[in-house]
Amino acid sequence: MSEALHNVAPPGSIEAKDLEHLLHPTTNLKVHHEKGPAVHLEAKGVYLKDNKGKQYIEGMAGLWCTALGYGEEELVRVAAEQMRKLSYSQLFGSKTNEPSVLLAERLKAMMPFDAGRVFFGLSGSDANDTQIKLMWYYNNAIGKPEKKKIISRSRGYHGVTIASGSLTGLPPFHAQFDLPIPGILHTDAPHYYRGAQAGETEEAFAGRLADSLEALIQKEGADTIAAFIAEPIMGAGGVIVPPATYYEKIQALLTKHDIFFIDDEVICGFGRTGNPFGAQTMGITPTTVSVAKAVSSAYLPLSAVIIPEFMYEPFIEQSAQIGTFGHGFTYSGHPVCAAVALRNLELMEERKIFEHAATVGEVFQSRLNGFADHPLVGETRGRGLIGAIELVANKETKAPFDAKQGVGAHCMERCEDNGLIVRSLGDSVAFCPPLIITEDQVHEVFDKFGKSLDETLEWLRHP
Ligand SMILES: Cc1ncc(COP(=O)(O)O)c(C=O)c1O
């Protein structure tokens, strides 16, 4: 192995050490060994530099998470101050700490539903695992031990742990990992462009998906299904914005069958879609909510599950009978993470970040949609400051490229060469910049993208 490594990285370099020591998450490991890693060195605001001195504009907010951008001194100050004061404490066994309590209070007040209790974790995956466990614990507590299955959707992304990875509806996250586990079901992805039949309106497509969900509920039995989980706008599945009336129809169905709605706001939460939460943009009334990523602008890891009071109440007696509420992480309510997340949310309010994101989001969407006529573009889609452009082999027939051609990946590479960070999700190119991005910087993102897209077309015509 080591000889091959020297072809892409000089011995002793950080690249060589990376190739020797790391197991990279969500990476094609063979391509990684052929091409070597990209080393990020430093970042400020919406700009990032690699170790060769090249600057990039950040079109993806890291992994959809650096909402306030990089290098925010106020968050650095708060983290250092909290580390000096109380670098660690816990929430186990009735202990508590001020930052966690104040963060829970603030999160509850922001929620798009009548929130009761906040449980802290560290990642979107653990939040969604917690969601499943709380559904099971609740239904056992209220004497409905059969009501346990969770319905997720194809192309949904909810994490990678055994349970949250099972919720995820993308094949590479299941293959060879022996997922999904029993009890996790998947229904259709609400992608009108790809899923609609000839001549079908958005409403008719949404109706067909609701019928398909109802058929699944009837087949399994509503009494065996605890909850449905959805990202208001799907992120990693390709930034899929569901069609008109979709959530209206789904929500009515869930209410009719007494099935809870778990709203995964891990990407959509905190201003991303032009409103504080994706639920508001898409007209959802959640039963419970998961948040992570922008809640701390990724300065430190933090996630939270927020549940209504009626779910919490039966936990009290059940935990007493068992002897404890037996769920929690060493770092649930880590005071430094909580202090940073709290200040992050305060800064979002003080600087009117949600309003800013909504305003700049209009320019963003208009630039995004401006690519609709490009010969390579099948669909442009998004809301607020999130979007994607799907590249197709044939605009008229919507025929996709052969996946082996790697057209999306090539376009992403062209973007990187041109100093723009985006993410290819198959042949869709995703955009999700930090919420602090200015109008001029939005133009910079799409000017660079336009050049890269033309270069991709040129490469396809003259390979
Ligand atoms: C909607 C959604 N839920 C959950 C997760 C999992 O979060 P994490 O990677 O922090 O475990 C992600 C990650 O991208 C996500 O996009």
Side-chain angles (χ1 to χ4, degrees), residues 63-64 122-126 128 157-160 164 231 233 235-236 264-268 292-293 423:
L63 283 174
W64 331 80
L122 290 165
S123 71
S125 297
D126 73 44
N128 289 327
Y157 188 87
H158 301 288
V160 294
S164 70
E231 306 154 77
I233 292 174
D264 184 344
E265 294 275 356
V266 167
I267 287 181
C268 294
K293 297 190 190 270
R423 184 157 167 216

XYZ file of all heavy atoms in Angstrom, residues 63-64 122-126 128 157-160 164 231 233 235-236 264-268 292-293 423, ligand 1:
206
model
N -20.724 20.611 6.112
C -21.769 19.618 5.812
C -23.113 20.215 6.236
O -23.723 19.759 7.191
C -21.480 18.301 6.536
C -20.392 17.413 5.926
C -20.093 16.218 6.821
C -20.798 16.934 4.538
N -23.547 21.267 5.583
C -24.834 21.945 5.809
C -24.913 22.525 7.225
O -25.994 22.600 7.798
C -26.032 20.990 5.648
C -25.953 19.825 4.722
C -25.363 18.628 4.967
C -26.541 19.705 3.406
N -25.538 17.778 3.889
C -26.257 18.402 2.929
C -27.287 20.573 2.612
C -26.680 17.932 1.683
C -27.711 20.111 1.373
C -27.405 18.802 0.922
N -25.326 14.825 20.680
C -24.175 15.455 20.028
C -24.220 15.418 18.510
O -23.432 16.087 17.859
C -22.884 14.750 20.473
C -22.536 15.012 21.926
C -21.508 14.021 22.394
C -22.026 16.428 22.094
N -25.115 14.622 17.948
C -25.153 14.514 16.483
C -26.586 14.306 16.018
O -27.452 13.885 16.808
C -24.304 13.332 16.018
O -24.942 12.120 16.355
N -26.793 14.568 14.748
C -28.114 14.310 14.176
C -28.469 12.839 14.261
O -29.627 12.478 14.489
N -27.477 11.974 14.081
C -27.730 10.531 14.153
C -28.206 10.137 15.543
O -29.190 9.391 15.673
C -26.449 9.746 13.840
O -26.007 9.991 12.546
N -27.514 10.616 16.572
C -27.946 10.189 17.914
C -29.302 10.807 18.262
O -30.100 10.211 18.985
C -26.862 10.397 18.982
C -26.603 11.837 19.405
O -27.555 12.596 19.620
O -25.422 12.196 19.571
N -31.791 11.229 16.182
C -32.837 10.403 15.571
C -32.912 9.010 16.195
O -33.987 8.413 16.252
C -32.651 10.360 14.054
C -32.993 11.703 13.427
O -33.872 12.411 13.926
N -32.301 12.065 12.362
N -32.443 11.227 4.555
C -31.175 11.027 5.282
C -31.389 11.424 6.734
O -31.773 12.557 7.025
C -30.038 11.862 4.668
C -28.701 11.520 5.286
C -27.922 10.478 4.786
C -28.217 12.202 6.399
C -26.708 10.132 5.365
C -27.012 11.861 6.992
C -26.255 10.827 6.466
O -25.059 10.482 7.055
N -31.153 10.462 7.626
C -31.375 10.746 9.049
C -30.197 10.332 9.910
O -30.303 10.346 11.131
C -32.652 10.043 9.521
C -33.872 10.474 8.764
N -34.443 11.724 8.939
C -34.600 9.861 7.797
C -35.490 11.840 8.125
N -35.604 10.739 7.419
N -29.076 9.931 9.279
C -27.900 9.572 10.051
C -27.378 8.207 9.669
O -27.818 7.604 8.677
N -26.415 7.731 10.455
C -25.693 6.505 10.081
C -25.561 5.469 11.193
O -24.959 4.429 10.972
C -24.273 6.846 9.565
C -24.343 7.624 8.276
C -23.473 7.601 10.610
N -30.604 5.099 13.146
C -30.806 6.255 12.255
C -30.359 5.910 10.832
O -30.941 6.387 9.858
C -30.081 7.500 12.777
O -28.690 7.364 12.656
N -37.505 14.880 6.763
C -36.868 16.196 6.668
C -37.859 17.056 5.875
O -38.288 16.620 4.792
C -35.577 16.120 5.854
C -34.575 15.100 6.301
C -33.692 14.659 5.125
O -32.786 15.410 4.756
O -33.925 13.566 4.573
N -37.473 19.546 3.884
C -36.871 19.467 2.546
C -35.737 18.464 2.677
O -34.893 18.593 3.559
C -36.331 20.840 2.092
C -37.498 21.809 1.852
C -35.463 20.700 0.838
C -37.095 23.233 1.537
N -32.310 16.758 2.358
C -30.988 17.313 2.084
C -30.114 16.372 1.273
O -30.047 16.466 0.039
N -29.486 15.423 1.974
C -28.480 14.565 1.336
C -29.061 13.691 0.222
O -28.325 13.201 -0.631
C -27.791 13.706 2.389
N -37.429 16.055 11.250
C -35.964 16.105 11.296
C -35.514 17.448 10.717
O -35.423 17.615 9.496
C -35.382 14.930 10.511
C -33.858 14.881 10.599
O -33.254 15.896 10.985
O -33.282 13.827 10.262
N -35.230 18.382 11.630
C -34.826 19.740 11.232
C -33.311 19.899 11.242
O -32.806 21.027 11.352
C -35.463 20.771 12.182
C -36.972 20.867 12.119
C -37.485 21.800 11.019
O -36.663 22.439 10.337
O -38.724 21.873 10.859
N -32.589 18.789 11.145
C -31.129 18.847 11.289
C -30.492 19.754 10.222
O -29.552 20.489 10.518
C -30.534 17.418 11.304
C -29.023 17.431 11.124
C -30.902 16.718 12.607
N -31.023 19.750 9.005
C -30.539 20.701 7.988
C -31.440 21.927 7.897
O -30.976 23.060 7.829
C -30.444 20.024 6.599
C -29.254 19.061 6.557
C -30.298 21.069 5.491
C -29.050 18.362 5.217
N -32.760 21.699 7.902
C -33.694 22.809 7.611
C -33.831 23.810 8.760
O -34.270 24.943 8.531
C -35.073 22.242 7.263
S -35.078 21.302 5.731
N -29.742 19.772 15.065
C -28.283 19.620 15.241
C -27.639 20.693 14.359
O -28.233 21.749 14.149
C -27.823 18.213 14.866
N -26.482 20.443 13.840
C -25.802 21.307 12.868
C -25.875 22.808 13.226
O -25.146 23.276 14.070
C -26.336 21.054 11.461
C -26.058 19.608 10.975
C -26.359 19.429 9.507
C -26.328 17.991 9.064
N -25.050 17.502 8.603
N -21.402 20.316 -3.344
C -21.368 18.871 -3.097
C -22.196 18.166 -4.163
O -23.339 18.555 -4.404
C -21.931 18.577 -1.713
C -21.842 17.114 -1.363
C -21.870 16.917 0.128
N -22.086 15.514 0.422
C -22.798 15.069 1.441
N -23.369 15.926 2.278
N -22.950 13.793 1.646
C -31.509 15.663 8.006
C -30.368 15.012 8.711
N -30.603 14.279 9.803
C -29.606 13.682 10.480
C -28.300 13.804 10.065
C -27.213 13.098 10.803
O -26.447 14.024 11.480
P -24.975 13.648 11.976
O -24.108 13.537 10.769
O -24.631 14.816 12.869
O -25.062 12.388 12.732
C -28.006 14.581 8.946
C -26.614 14.753 8.485
O -26.337 15.285 7.430
C -29.062 15.179 8.236
O -28.832 15.888 7.124
